[in-house]
Amino acid sequence: MPASAHTLLFPGQGTEAVGMAQGWEAHDAWEGTLRAAEAHTGRPLRQAMAKGPQELLRQQRLAPCAVLAHSVGIYRAWRAAGLALPVAAAGHSMGFYSALVAAEVVPLEAALDLISAVEDLSETAFAAGAMGMAFLIGVSELDLRRALLDHPELVLSNRNGQAQFTASGPVPALESLVRDLGPAALKTGLLPVQHPLHGPHMAPLLPGISRRLAAVQPAEPAFPLISHFDGRLLGTGQAAWDEGIASVALPVDWLAVVARLKVLGAPLAECGHGRQLAGLTRWADRDLAVASLQVPPVR
């Protein structure tokens, strides 16, 4: 990876995979980040990432912590190897938490506490297995919005591309939506999450989340962050932290993020495991190429 400044893209939950930590254990910045995350959460993140089993790594309480710590550790290791300070950074869904920590708006522990607050309050608010999210690929937004008229309890929660979306809400309604649109779609299904993220069902939780994190004092960002809600630049620490808290109830519009990436004009690199955001970005604009930082830098 050249030393020229990039805009970094931080992926969210769902990118976790057994073996994702391979090669990173030798990098002090990554190792230190994972040790700190494990000390704060009490969860065996490195063990789950290295050896699994997949069921452990994908646990609702462990997966987002693993993705966050891994992405931040990758960023810190690459910075130690000479990667230039980013022009800006975007995060998809909870990948925004990784961007917050990378930009030094809040410490790693605060972002982990945000994950914990969302999980605690969601478990109190929603019965187990009652709520979730579904993905729909290869359908038009118009067809999806028409189908949602028959399911008023559901909302369009993610615009990930021209024909790639998620909806959130009660699981029975999501299953019905998937059945309705499945024959016309390339791929549909339920996501491995237990909450109706990025929609109004989460809005009543925001006051409680804010109270849990009232002691956090955000710092000014080392580089601007891009809202995954509307693509605007968040240039102050308070604006970025407010966005992080509110993001659980704000829909994700990756098309708006891509529009901002084009305006910024910097080369793009994905800072995490896999190529989730490279794929979503190409879905949104075929002319945009996204490099990857998932392979450790040569020491």
Side-chain angles (χ1 to χ4, degrees):
M1 177 65 60
S4 60
H6 286 65
T7 296
L8 298 186
L9 310 179
F10 289 88
Q13 189 173 344
T15 56
E16 66 278 352
V18 175
M20 64 194 290
Q22 184 175 358
W24 288 102
E25 303 92 335
H27 289 265
D28 293 342
W30 183 91
E31 185 73 13
T33 301
L34 269 292
R35 282 200 307 269
E38 289 179 340
H40 194 71
T41 63
R43 301 187 184 280
L45 303 180
R46 285 173 292 178
Q47 174 186 329
M49 293 160 69
K51 299 180 180 180
Q54 190 81 335
E55 292 76 17
L56 172 63
L57 181 58
R58 288 191 170 170
Q59 284 182 359
Q60 184 70 29
R61 292 278 186 160
L62 191 147
C65 298
V67 171
L68 169 66
H70 184 55
S71 293
V72 171
I74 287 176
Y75 171 73
R76 291 173 174 173
W78 272 99
R79 282 284 288 155
L83 183 72
L85 195 70
V87 171
H92 186 274
S93 188
M94 65 139 290
F96 188 76
Y97 303 169
S98 304
L100 283 170
V101 179
E104 301 178 9
V105 173
V106 296
L108 174 69
E109 290 77 9
L112 292 167
D113 287 343
L114 175 52
I115 291 173
S116 180
V118 172
E119 294 299 327
D120 289 346
L121 293 173
S122 294
E123 287 182 3
T124 300
F126 309 120
M131 292 286 196
M133 302 178 73
F135 67 90
L136 304 108
I137 301 173
V139 298
S140 72
E141 184 172 347
L142 179 60
D143 286 344
L144 174 56
R145 289 189 181 277
R146 284 173 174 164
L148 287 172
L149 293 175
D150 295 327
H151 301 283
E153 64 273 54
L154 300 179
V155 296
L156 175 58
S157 48
N158 290 51
R159 294 176 72 237
N160 289 329
Q162 301 292 347
Q164 187 163 338
F165 309 97
T166 71
S168 65
V171 168
L174 290 171
E175 292 172 337
S176 178
L177 180 69
V178 166
R179 286 195 299 270
D180 291 346
L181 291 177
L186 292 177
K187 191 175 183 181
T188 63
L190 298 186
L191 290 168
V193 297
Q194 302 296 314
H195 315 316
L197 296 169
H198 305 306
H201 302 91
M202 299 294 292
L205 280 59
L206 295 180
I209 295 171
S210 296
R211 286 192 295 270
R212 282 271 295 264
L213 299 162
V216 177
Q217 296 296 317
E220 293 306 293
F223 44 84
L225 301 181
I226 301 170
S227 167
H228 68 198
F229 169 60
D230 59 9
R232 74 191 185 282
L233 290 178
L234 304 165
T236 70
Q238 190 63 61
W241 181 234
D242 289 346
E243 184 92 358
I245 292 174
S247 66
V248 295
L250 292 174
V252 174
D253 191 342
W254 197 249
L255 296 174
V257 172
V258 168
R260 175 63 62 183
L261 299 178
K262 292 183 71 174
V263 170
L264 291 174
L268 307 175
E270 186 163 355
C271 191
H273 181 72
R275 302 299 306 273
Q276 178 197 66
L277 298 186
L280 291 187
T281 302
R282 289 295 300 277
W283 268 83
D285 190 313
R286 288 290 179 183
D287 294 331
L288 290 180
V290 181
S292 175
L293 300 181
Q294 71 170 324
V295 176
V298 177
R299 302 189 68 185

